[in-house]
Amino acid sequence: MALDKATVARIATLARIKVADADLDKMVGELQTIISWVEQLDAVDTKGVEPMTSAVEVTLPMREDKVSDGGYVAQIVANAPEPVVVGEGAFFTVPKVVE
Amino acid sequence: MAALTDLTIAEARDQLRARKISARELAQAHVSAVAKAKQLNAFITETPEMALSMATASDQRLKAGDGGALEGVPLAIKDLFCTKDVLTTAASHILHGFKPPYESTVSANLWKAGAVLLGKTNLDEFAMGSSNTTSYYGPVHNPWQRRGDNRPLVPGGSSGGSAAAVAARVAMGATGTDTGGSIRQPAAFCGLVGLKPTYGRCSRWGIVAFASSLDQAGPMTRTVRDAAIMLGAMASHDPKDSTSVPRPVPDYEKALTGDIRGLKFGIPKEYRIDGMAPEIEKLWQQGIEWLKAAGATPVEISLPHTKYALPAYYIIAPAEASSNLARYDGVRFGLRIPGDSLDGMYENTRAEGFGAEVQRRVMIGTYVLSAGYYDAYYLKAQRVRSLIARDFTEAYKKCDVILTPTAPSAAFAIGEKADDPIAMYLNDVFTVTVNLAGLPGISVPAGLSAEGLPLGLQLIGRAFDEETLFRVAGVVEKAANFTALPPGIS
């Protein structure tokens, strides 16, 4: 698959990474090298082979659906860049998203 | 008496229990060593005060006769493990100022066993790298140097700070994490023992996630016995990690019997790759002779999909990373770079907070998971991964353990291979298959290169058979009698 600037710009948007227009060409080249290299997998016959979804054969454990922990509001916002504390509540903040 | 920093963990443990030395003096010796080794850049955060207060508590427990398996042993922790109220960065700018309000299960297990925290070690950013040169906090220097050449060498990666600290006698042992070789390759580059346990043996809870189906924590130490002691303390079943396995943790030290008579060890023919350095080939042959002399039998085996392991890894690991790293958005913790909209803030924060290699991998991961490409790349790689795992299942019908080199070369200079990501990725050619198959692997220092740098041999075991790995590794260690030390360490 040949990558172009438009595709790489779209991936950057999906990944939420700002890439300056001037850097796009360089990034196209870098990603193209890696994508071409991984495409050697096309040579492997995988017909009838199931994708591996677990590194070790285990049945995932089940537990009762009940709250077992919690009540750490102050600790949860302690690392936030611009938290707001109002009365009993503590909030993460983001730029305004509605007018 | 040898310097306190020269003791192995096993020796220190015995002397501490016999009250011949105190945990406090052992901690003080290592705190001073950390301060003197700043030029290695092995630590992102040093915690001398914590070390001394933890050691004081250890002395009280030792006095009362109820010390744990690692009581009073000073360790370094890779800065990928969350440590309560102690800065945890993953060597990334995006985790600027992050102090976790909780402790990772593995580090909590170590503190419960009595270990003492010296500090948090440097690594490749988010553990993405094989040279410890992608860290936001700068590269780590390998304490080893080529003979007659003082250019700084990489310690390997991603657990490069941990490897440098243990090799330089600054920490008695350290934790690492291994997603494609990040414990074993730096262990080989620094003349150490490094073990990646079976997937599920150690809890991943509280470890900053890179590729969740591949990541596993393990010990980095100067001897096989020390690795056995450390793994025994690190491993546990943890309800907070649903992939951690509810199996009892054996007494790994008991596995070190030195007796491997009758054992069959596999030699995979596909690991004789083109362009492998003759000295690596020779070391591998030497390893075969050592195991034969100890009464084990070599068996030629085939792992036919080996050459597809790295390309499969460079689809699967970035795919999982792009998903795991979606949480770094400038909202709940770490760096925030303002923007004129919510998306603008996300994009600015991630552009500024992630380094070039991390951005590259997030982009690759996003691409291979995106609509229209998921089947062609991601599912294809997961099918190839099944074939790689199946290769090992077949091989273990013929042998009990597999012997290979750990890395295709010795340590290289900082800056070498920097312009070619794929040349850098090839460092992991012998280690990455083990992560894809979820198996345990250990690197043991086995000799020196012509330039005087350490080289390692790798042993790969059956799932959850770390005991056989330790037993065979102990035999390799004894036969190799690797006593060389980095310059300046005597």
Side-chain angles (χ1 to χ4, degrees), chain B residues 111-266:
Chain B
W111 312 145
K112 210 166 78 188
V116 164
L117 174 65
L118 289 169
K120 307 289 296 290
T121 54
N122 206 339
L123 64 150
D124 280 296
E125 185 180 1
F126 283 107
M128 295 180 191
S130 309
S131 61
N132 213 128
T133 52
T134 71
S135 168
Y136 175 70
Y137 297 90
V140 173
H141 290 199
N142 192 327
W144 292 82
Q145 290 184 334
R146 290 172 180 145
R147 253 184 230 120
D149 180 346
N150 61 8
R151 269 182 303 168
L153 305 180
V154 304
S158 65
S159 312
S162 290
V166 180
R169 269 64 182 162
V170 159
M172 303 198 94
T175 60
T177 61
D178 190 315
T179 305
S182 282
I183 287 175
R184 292 160 288 159
Q185 183 254 19
F189 277 17
C190 292
L192 301 176
V193 175
L195 170 85
K196 182 202 93 76
T198 312
Y199 185 82
R201 181 68 285 181
C202 290
S203 169
R204 290 180 296 107
W205 194 83
I207 301 174
V208 175
F210 163 14
S212 304
S213 80
L214 301 162
D215 297 343
Q216 191 54 204
M220 304 176 78
T221 56
R222 297 196 286 263
T223 70
V224 174
R225 182 174 298 276
D226 286 0
I229 296 169
M230 252 186 94
L231 179 64
M234 292 169 72
S236 67
H237 171 238
D238 179 8
K240 288 187 291 207
D241 171 6
S242 62
T243 63
S244 105
V245 172
R247 289 169 80 109
V249 179
D251 182 344
Y252 293 116
E253 244 188 309
K254 282 209 176 113
L256 299 172
T257 61
D259 183 2
I260 58 162
R261 284 172 299 172
L263 182 123
K264 289 196 178 107
F265 62 100

Side-chain angles (χ1 to χ4, degrees), chain A residues 1 39 44 49-50 79 93, chain B residues 99 336 367 377 380 386:
Chain A
M1 176 72 201
E39 281 176 352
V44 188
V49 180
E50 286 299 312
N79 279 291
T93 58
Chain B
K99 289 188 178 168
R336 168 182 287 196
Y367 178 63
Y377 292 107
K380 179 78 183 182
S386 290

Side-chain angles (χ1 to χ4, degrees), chain B residues 426-437:
Chain B
L426 288 174
N427 269 292
D428 295 332
V429 64
F430 299 135
T431 48
V432 74
T433 50
V434 176
N435 300 77
L436 289 167

Side-chain angles (χ1 to χ4, degrees), chain A residues 72-85 89-92, chain B residues 332:
Chain A
Y72 304 117
V73 174
Q75 292 182 49
I76 286 167
V77 297
N79 279 291
E82 297 167 72
V84 169
V85 179
F91 300 89
F92 299 119
Chain B
R332 290 155 302 154

Side-chain angles (χ1 to χ4, degrees), chain B residues 260-267 287-301 398-403 472:
Chain B
I260 58 162
R261 284 172 299 172
L263 182 123
K264 289 196 178 107
F265 62 100
I267 303 299
I288 294 171
E289 298 307 323
W290 286 333
L291 295 185
K292 272 163 72 177
T297 311
V299 185
E300 185 176 273
I301 56 164
K398 297 209 288 190
C399 63
D400 306 298
V401 70
I402 295 169
L403 176 73
V472 184

Side-chain angles (χ1 to χ4, degrees), chain A residues 1-4 7-20 23-24 26-63 68-69 72 74-83 91-97 99, chain B residues 84 97-102 198-200 213 242-243 245-246 305 307-312 314-315 330-336 339-343 345-348 350-351 354 356 358-360 362-364 366-368 370-371 373 376-377 379-387 389-390 421-422 425-426 435-438 463-464:
Chain A
M1 176 72 201
L3 293 176
D4 53 28
T7 308
V8 172
R10 188 176 61 86
I11 301 167
T13 304
L14 286 173
R16 299 292 187 273
I17 296 174
K18 188 178 180 70
V19 179
D23 296 336
L24 270 178
K26 184 166 169 260
M27 207 158 227
V28 169
E30 285 175 1
L31 297 185
Q32 183 67 63
T33 306
I34 296 167
I35 290 294
S36 304
W37 177 69
V38 299
E39 281 176 352
Q40 52 179 304
L41 294 189
D42 292 346
V44 188
D45 181 4
T46 52
K47 219 160 92 187
V49 180
E50 286 299 312
M52 187 163 161
T53 50
S54 173
V56 169
E57 297 273 327
V58 284
T59 313
L60 282 178
M62 303 291 276
R63 63 165 173 81
S68 59
D69 205 357
Y72 304 117
Q75 292 182 49
I76 286 167
V77 297
N79 279 291
E82 297 167 72
F91 300 89
F92 299 119
T93 58
V94 294
K96 197 173 178 184
V97 284
E99 289 305 323
Chain B
K84 189 170 162 44
F98 178 60
K99 289 188 178 168
Y102 49 80
T198 312
Y199 185 82
S213 80
S242 62
T243 63
V245 172
H305 296 90
K307 74 175 215 184
Y308 300 111
L310 273 174
Y314 277 97
I315 292 174
V331 175
R332 290 155 302 154
F333 40 73
L335 185 74
R336 168 182 287 196
D340 51 13
S341 64
L342 182 57
D343 277 326
M345 184 199 77
Y346 292 154
E347 292 183 349
N348 290 344
R350 290 163 65 82
F354 291 146
V358 172
Q359 290 193 22
R360 197 150 46 219
V362 168
M363 296 278 285
I364 291 284
T366 304
Y367 178 63
V368 300
S370 64
Y373 300 105
Y377 292 107
L379 273 187
K380 179 78 183 182
Q382 290 285 53
R383 289 183 213 280
V384 173
R385 187 176 179 184
S386 290
L387 293 173
R390 197 184 290 172
I422 291 173
Y425 298 170
L426 288 174
N435 300 77
L436 289 167
F464 297 105

Side-chain angles (χ1 to χ4, degrees), chain B residues 82-95:
Chain B
C82 288
T83 40
K84 189 170 162 44
D85 299 330
V86 176
L87 183 69
T88 298
T89 68
S92 180
H93 188 30
I94 210 155
L95 272 169

